[in-house]
Amino acid sequence: MSERRIRVLIAKPGLDGHDRGAKIVARALRDAGMEVIYTGLHQTPEQIVETAIQEDVDIVGLSCLSGAHMTLFTQVMALLKEKDAADIIVTGGGIVPKDDIVKLKEAGIAEVFGPGTPIDEIIEYHRKAARK
Amino acid sequence: MEIVEKVLNGDKRAVARLISMIENGDQQAVKALSALHAHTGNAHIIGVTGPPGVGKSTLVDKLAKSYRELNKKIGIIAVDPSSPFTGGAILGDRVRMNDLNTDPGVFIRSMGTRGHLGGLARSTADVIKVLDAYGMDKIIVETVGAGQSEVEIASYAHTTLLVEMPGLGDDIQTIKAGIMEIGDIFVINKADRAGIDRTEAEIRTMLSLHPEEKPWLPPVMRTVAINGDGIQELRDEIEKHLDYLQSSGQMKLIGEERAREDFIHILKANVTKYIIERSMDQKKFDELLSKILSKQIDPYSAARELTDDFENSL
Ligand SMILES: Nc1nc2c(ncn2[C@@H]2O[C@H](COP(=O)(O)OP(=O)(O)O)[C@@H](O)[C@H]2O)c(=O)[nH]1
Ligand SMILES: [Mg+2]
């Protein structure tokens, strides 16, 4: 009689002030039946990790358009590990150069969604990843 | 149970996990809640309800910070509506509470209204128990004051704040219809806006329409949540209400009433589950159902038959 619902945190680390992309993804995931915790702009890695833990999310989607993504993303990964929460899946979204994608995946980021990724693909990814 | 130990030892992850188990209707959650029962009953539960956009989340953020100055540990449950079609939701209350995220004395959980098994109010009540056992001094529950289930959730609070803002007009009318009675403290937020006097006058008029002698007369407070004006006064008033509940014996009565409702609810759920499962195992459930469909029997008599069977089996 139990019904599990996928929970996703969409967070925007760093200083850039755009969250249009993040909001579009948030709405699409909601429409796909997921619960999306949205925290607004300018999140520090500490805030993101605390929120992910308290909200018990399956997946954290980090949206980032500024050049600072490498440091921010890897800080989030390190903090998750430190807090014994490395099982939470982390994805990235935004303009990330190819070389960096490789590095991010090495750092444990599960997937990076570049601009123009079809929304259905993102939804499908979340469904599959959360089921694991 | 490991998860119970962890919750009692202050493990945030375990608290978060257990809340998910409750929300998902996981049977293991029941076991954990049983074990936690002895550790509940210490928190002061504060309901914050009102129309969307009046500033509830901002107010909760400021109130939590104000209580942190007194070193109180704060649990926050922020409930937002789920889509009735997909069950999905965007839970955005944390946007207003960002600096609380990393405070070790604060735990925030966002909840969608979903189609909770046994009702949203039930699962919220269980989540409150978890945060209570986890050692939170104050548990603040934010709900959109619109429907019956929100009113029900508010009924779990010891102190309920009804939040309004200037210029809502018709919304005040709707509040009057359903939930005026549950307000222990009225808060007019956005007191920096025009029309505040009129809003206050309207609320006071409505309050005077219920002139029964009440030992606690709900105060009407003004706040500007964005800059913190009136928050300290509001906190003082909440504490005054708590004092009133304790000194008048109301707190004890509320506790007894909750325990009673809780017990009855759990009993009902157990008995219902037992009867349904038993009759399904014996194929009698399906038999009766098809008879109901073909009008050989009515559902009242069919249900009677199953409860009689249950009685005879005792
Ligand atoms: N002018 C003014 N705006 C406020 C005040 N409190 C909150 N707001 C704004 O009102 C909007 C809604 O606030 P929020 O806390 O999310 O409301 P909720 O939907 O009731 O939880 C936000 O843009 C807040 O910044 C206030 O006291 N004065
Ligand atoms: Mg809110």
Side-chain angles (χ1 to χ4, degrees):
Chain A
M1 281 253 292
S2 72
E3 184 212 20
R4 215 179 85 74
R5 207 161 269 288
I6 299 171
R7 286 169 68 88
V8 183
L9 167 63
I10 298 286
K12 272 211 65 93
L15 297 175
D16 62 311
H18 297 278
D19 62 350
R20 249 191 44 157
K23 277 188 173 157
I24 290 170
V25 172
R27 278 191 215 110
L29 295 177
R30 174 201 58 195
D31 293 341
M34 299 175 204
E35 280 178 350
V36 183
I37 290 91
Y38 188 73
T39 55
L41 298 166
H42 311 319
Q43 298 284 297
T44 66
E46 286 79 8
Q47 287 176 327
I48 292 168
V49 168
E50 266 307 317
T51 301
I53 287 173
Q54 290 172 25
E55 298 288 355
D56 192 30
V57 296
D58 304 284
I59 302 167
V60 179
L62 298 175
S63 153
C64 190
L65 295 169
S66 75
H69 50 253
M70 274 310 287
T71 8
L72 290 169
F73 284 26
T74 46
Q75 268 173 355
V76 169
M77 297 311 295
L79 278 168
L80 280 173
K81 204 173 268 167
E82 193 186 307
K83 305 238 164 181
D84 210 14
D87 54 306
I88 298 175
I89 299 161
V90 182
T91 67
I95 304 162
V96 181
K98 271 220 171 66
D99 292 352
D100 283 1
I101 294 183
V102 177
K103 281 188 215 147
L104 287 172
K105 287 198 170 171
E106 274 168 16
I109 305 276
E111 193 57 83
V112 177
F113 303 107
T117 310
I119 205 78
D120 288 343
E121 201 178 305
I122 298 179
I123 292 171
E124 208 36 49
Y125 177 87
H126 281 74
R127 285 212 175 109
K128 282 208 184 106
R131 221 174 284 136
K132 276 191 212 146
Chain B
M1 261 176 111
E2 203 191 340
I3 196 160
V4 172
E5 293 301 311
K6 285 184 171 173
V7 169
L8 294 174
N9 285 328
D11 181 332
K12 277 196 175 172
R13 247 208 126 190
V15 173
R17 278 273 157 80
L18 182 51
I19 294 175
S20 299
M21 284 158 66
I22 291 167
E23 284 204 282
N24 293 335
D26 188 326
Q27 279 307 309
Q28 290 297 314
V30 174
K31 284 192 192 146
L33 286 167
S34 308
L36 289 176
H37 176 73
H39 303 272
T40 60
N42 304 311
H44 175 207
I45 301 154
I46 303 167
V48 176
T49 196
V54 294
K56 296 180 295 301
S57 300
T58 316
L59 196 72
V60 169
D61 174 67
K62 290 299 193 319
L63 204 54
K65 281 177 185 145
S66 175
Y67 273 119
R68 289 298 293 144
E69 286 168 13
L70 304 178
N71 248 324
K72 300 286 181 200
K73 291 193 192 133
I74 308 295
I76 298 173
I77 303 169
V79 184
D80 272 323
S82 305
S83 153
F85 305 109
T86 67
I90 291 184
L91 309 172
D93 293 313
R94 291 189 89 108
V95 173
R96 319 274 174 228
M97 307 180 191
N98 273 325
D99 344 317
L100 293 177
N101 286 346
T102 48
D103 183 336
V106 178
F107 187 102
I108 310 174
R109 182 63 173 235
S110 314
M111 280 175 71
T113 49
R114 298 194 191 177
H116 279 277
L117 303 159
L120 170 68
R122 288 300 317 167
S123 20
T124 314
D126 287 343
V127 174
I128 290 173
K129 285 185 196 171
V130 175
L131 293 178
D132 188 351
Y134 173 57
M136 300 294 99
D137 300 304
K138 305 279 168 185
I139 299 172
I140 309 179
V141 186
E142 176 188 336
T143 56
V144 177
Q148 184 56 38
S149 63
E150 285 82 358
V151 174
E152 262 173 59
I153 294 169
S155 79
Y156 282 94
H158 300 119
T159 303
T160 300
L161 274 50
L162 284 188
V163 190
E164 283 291 337
M165 67 180 193
L168 271 180
D170 284 351
D171 272 298
I172 293 188
Q173 293 299 112
T174 29
I175 280 214
K176 183 173 72 173
I179 65 179
M180 200 75 186
E181 295 75 21
I182 65 168
D184 299 305
I185 297 172
F186 287 80
V187 182
I188 313 172
N189 188 42
K190 307 201 186 184
D192 52 325
R193 290 206 177 163
I196 178 88
D197 290 333
R198 212 184 119 205
T199 306
E200 178 166 344
E202 276 169 4
I203 290 175
R204 288 195 186 279
T205 308
M206 270 185 302
L207 284 172
S208 65
L209 296 177
H210 301 264
E212 334 82 85
E213 270 310 311
K214 279 193 208 152
W216 171 264
L217 289 172
V220 182
M221 314 284 299
R222 295 181 177 199
T223 57
V224 183
I226 34 165
N227 67 16
D229 280 1
I231 297 296
Q232 171 127 23
E233 290 81 352
L234 178 59
R235 187 190 77 193
D236 292 345
E237 208 59 41
I238 294 171
E239 289 306 295
K240 234 168 123 185
H241 185 251
L242 178 61
D243 285 345
Y244 154 74
L245 290 177
Q246 280 163 343
S247 61
S248 64
Q250 276 294 317
M251 197 74 174
K252 201 165 154 261
L253 286 178
I254 293 173
E256 285 166 10
E257 183 58 30
R258 293 289 176 281
R260 193 189 143 79
E261 280 169 17
D262 216 39
F263 186 30
I264 290 179
H265 171 85
I266 295 166
L267 197 57
K268 266 190 194 164
N270 286 359
V271 173
T272 313
K273 189 166 169 275
Y274 179 79
I275 293 179
I276 291 176
E277 281 174 4
R278 189 166 176 269
S279 66
M280 280 185 167
D281 284 350
Q282 298 172 347
K283 308 268 181 282
K284 199 154 178 189
F285 186 92
D286 287 333
E287 261 170 49
L288 285 168
L289 185 62
S290 49
K291 280 190 188 166
I292 292 169
L293 287 167
S294 63
K295 304 280 192 282
Q296 281 170 274
I297 194 170
D298 65 276
Y300 307 96
S301 309
R304 182 85 240 171
E305 212 175 306
L306 291 185
T307 46
D308 283 350
D309 281 358
F310 173 60
E311 220 179 307
N312 293 332
S313 74
L314 293 177

